[in-house]
Amino acid sequence: MEKDTKIRFWEIDSLRGIAITMMAIYHLVYDLSYFAHYNINAVSGFWLYFARATANTFIFLVGVSLSISFSRAVKKGRDSKKLFIKYLQRGLKVFFWGLIITFVTWFLVGEGYVIFGILHLIGISIILAFPFLKLRFWNLLIGTACIFFGIYIKNLTVNFSWLLWLGFRTDQFYTVDYFPLLPWFGVVLLGIFCGSFFYPDYSRKFPLTDFSYYPPIKALSFLGKHSLFIYLIHQPIIIALLYIFGIVNINL
């Protein structure tokens, strides 16, 4: 019987750990600006670039991880139909948590609540990415096209809201967290391309010194392995701590 071993690539987990740490830092800064009215410009300048670098890294790694997971499944001879169901279930699970975020932010924030945030994007992307996982190098071209088209439509406005999820915005649209499929699904596809290029056949195709036993790397890898859980709890923890220390006063 073949032994079912699951290799973890520590560099991927560590990069994801860095991204989720950066996300927590940015949300702390944003909360201080939004709830506590600190004189911090969290939506432009350095912090805007910091937030975008964080999001790009996190979403790019979604694609890399999908590619690696798919390579492992193919190597083990998994049935394509069952594999799609697995991705469908995983995507729906993440999307469900995105809907929870929508409800919570609607209750706490009101105007500007999250309609199609990063969890909505990741959930749908996991499902949509399945047919792209076999395309390998075509994902570079398709992903780049998605990004450029998304950048193009960003400055367009429409008079309907049913395509907000795709990237078409109304004139008065406002939300605190918005990651439409265009251009962000393109970033996922670039991640899939890089995953298939650097980790084909579920193996690393480049030399890399093993730093996985170093305590900082182990800590980052731990965060990366539990990134969804950390994403779900970090904002409530930050807001609770700010409330406990009297930095914010939230009246529900």
Side-chain angles (χ1 to χ4, degrees):
M1 179 185 296
E2 180 184 1
K3 187 177 180 180
D4 187 10
T5 57
K6 186 176 181 180
I7 301 171
R8 301 289 309 199
F9 297 101
W10 64 267
E11 65 274 20
I12 303 298
D13 288 331
S14 297
L15 285 173
R16 195 184 299 109
I18 292 172
I20 200 68
T21 302
M22 292 173 65
M23 189 172 292
I25 292 171
Y26 177 74
H27 284 160
L28 171 60
V29 171
Y30 187 89
D31 291 343
L32 288 171
S33 172
Y34 188 88
F35 292 112
H37 308 294
Y38 274 48
N39 187 23
I40 305 174
N41 192 345
V43 294
S44 66
F46 169 80
W47 288 113
L48 174 63
Y49 292 115
F50 184 89
R52 283 294 175 247
T54 301
N56 274 284
T57 302
F58 201 79
I59 295 169
F60 176 82
L61 290 174
V62 168
V64 174
S65 299
L66 284 172
S67 177
I68 292 174
S69 172
F70 183 75
S71 296
R72 176 177 182 267
V74 170
K75 192 171 185 178
K76 294 183 67 63
R78 297 283 171 83
D79 178 74
S80 181
K81 183 177 179 180
K82 291 182 179 179
L83 188 58
F84 172 72
I85 292 175
K86 174 185 174 182
Y87 282 90
L88 177 64
Q89 292 173 335
R90 185 187 303 175
L92 290 176
K93 175 185 175 182
V94 176
F95 187 78
F96 170 77
W97 283 114
L99 294 179
I100 297 296
I101 297 295
T102 295
F103 174 77
V104 171
T105 54
W106 172 79
F107 182 71
L108 292 177
V109 178
E111 184 181 2
Y113 70 96
V114 176
I115 296 177
F116 200 87
I118 194 167
L119 290 187
H120 301 80
L121 167 73
I122 293 174
I124 294 298
S125 295
I126 290 172
I127 300 170
L128 293 180
F130 187 76
F132 293 89
L133 291 168
K134 297 179 181 180
L135 298 184
R136 297 176 66 85
F137 298 105
W138 277 102
N139 287 309
L140 177 61
L141 178 62
I142 300 171
T144 302
C146 287
I147 291 172
F148 276 102
F149 188 65
I151 293 172
Y152 171 74
I153 67 174
K154 181 178 180 180
N155 296 320
L156 301 179
T157 56
V158 295
N159 58 4
F160 50 86
S161 58
W162 57 277
L163 285 180
L164 282 172
W165 58 273
L166 190 58
F168 292 92
R169 317 172 197 210
T170 59
D171 187 46
Q172 301 299 322
F173 175 67
Y174 167 69
T175 179
V176 297
D177 188 44
Y178 183 50
F179 288 89
L181 282 177
L182 297 174
W184 293 103
F185 185 61
V187 180
V188 175
L189 293 181
L190 293 186
I192 292 174
F193 162 74
C194 288
S196 64
F197 184 83
F198 292 107
Y199 299 89
D201 303 319
Y202 195 51
S203 61
R204 186 191 296 116
K205 293 302 181 182
F206 57 92
L208 184 66
T209 304
D210 187 5
F211 293 110
S212 62
Y213 297 102
Y214 286 75
I217 299 298
K218 291 178 70 174
L220 288 172
S221 295
F222 176 83
L223 295 177
K225 292 175 186 177
H226 302 89
S227 57
L228 176 59
F229 177 72
I230 294 169
Y231 181 86
L232 293 172
I233 68 169
H234 81 280
Q235 270 287 51
I237 290 176
I238 290 172
I239 294 174
L241 289 174
L242 294 179
Y243 179 80
I244 290 170
F245 287 105
I247 299 175
V248 301
N249 183 19
I250 302 175
N251 298 314
L252 301 179

